[in-house]
Amino acid sequence: MNGFILLIPFLLVRFGLIRVIDRQAVVRAAYFPPRIGAERAAYMIYQLANAVVLIGLLFFSVRMERSWLCGTGAACYLLGLLLCIASVIDFAAPSDSGFHENGVYRFSRNPMYVSCDLLFAGCALLVQSWLLGCFVFLFVVSSHWIILSEERWCIQAFGAPYRAYMKRVRRYF
C-alpha cells in the first residue's frame, strides 16, 4: 500500500472535519502570527519539512509486518489521528476567553501540533524510512519555534488570562 494513503484520514480530519464544524475555524487554524528572528528560519524549515513528509509519502510503501517498528508506527499513527480528531473538534469551539482551553486543550496548549508529530512519526515508522524520519524530526523541532511565536501572539492578544492558562496547562503533554 502506498504511504500517501496514510495521509487521507489525516487530511480529511485536519481540513474537512474542521470545515464542517466551523468554517471560521479553518481560517484561525491557518493563521501564523508574525515571526521574529530565528522564528523566520524555523517557519521555512517547518514548511519545507511538512511538504517533504506529505509529498515524500507518495514514494514509499507501508510495510505491514510483525515487528516492533510496525507496531510502534501503527500505535503512533492511530494515537496521532485520534488526538487530531479531538483537537480539531475542540479547536472549532473556543471557550469564552477567545482562546482554546476546552477538551484536550485542558491538558496541552498545542494538541494539534502533538497530533501531527505523532502521526508523521507513525508514518515514517510504517514506511520504515530513516530519511522521512529525519524530516519528521525537523518538522517537530521547527514547530517548537512556531509554537513560541504563537504563544507570544496569544499573550499580546489575551493578556493575563492566557498567562494563567500557560501556568495551568503544559505546552505539550
Side-chain angles (χ1 to χ4, degrees):
M1 160 172 88
N2 186 279
F4 192 79
I5 298 291
L6 296 170
L7 291 177
I8 293 172
F10 167 71
L11 295 171
L12 288 173
V13 169
R14 181 67 176 80
F15 299 103
L17 178 61
I18 197 169
R19 186 162 193 235
V20 168
I21 296 171
D22 179 9
R23 286 180 182 237
Q24 289 303 317
V26 176
V27 175
R28 290 193 316 270
Y31 177 73
F32 286 97
R35 293 155 305 279
I36 58 173
E39 294 167 355
R40 289 186 185 112
Y43 178 76
M44 297 305 291
I45 293 168
Y46 172 85
Q47 294 295 0
L48 175 68
N50 193 14
V52 169
V53 170
L54 295 175
I55 295 167
L57 281 167
L58 283 168
F59 301 98
F60 293 101
S61 294
V62 175
R63 297 184 184 178
M64 297 304 289
E65 56 192 42
R66 289 180 175 245
S67 70
W68 69 270
L69 205 57
C70 186
T72 304
C76 286
Y77 176 82
L78 291 173
L79 184 59
L81 188 59
L82 291 173
L83 182 57
C84 187
I85 292 167
S87 59
V88 161
I89 291 169
D90 295 336
F91 184 87
S95 64
D96 294 336
S97 64
F99 56 89
H100 310 284
E101 54 183 329
N102 53 323
V104 293
Y105 288 87
R106 292 176 297 166
F107 308 106
S108 170
R109 297 193 309 261
N110 299 285
M112 263 198 256
Y113 284 103
V114 174
S115 73
C116 288
D117 296 347
L118 284 168
L119 189 130
F120 287 172
C123 288
L125 290 169
L126 286 168
V127 299
Q128 298 181 19
S129 170
W130 64 269
L131 181 60
L132 198 62
C134 289
F135 279 97
V136 170
F137 178 76
L138 284 174
F139 176 83
V140 170
V141 171
S142 61
S143 68
H144 174 75
W145 290 91
I146 305 301
I147 289 167
L148 294 177
S149 70
E150 289 178 357
E151 288 180 346
R152 186 182 59 255
W153 181 85
C154 286
I155 289 168
Q156 291 171 349
F158 303 110
Y162 190 78
R163 285 187 191 276
Y165 173 65
M166 290 175 77
K167 289 179 182 176
R168 281 191 328 271
V169 178
R170 293 175 183 242
R171 181 175 285 140
Y172 300 108
F173 272 103

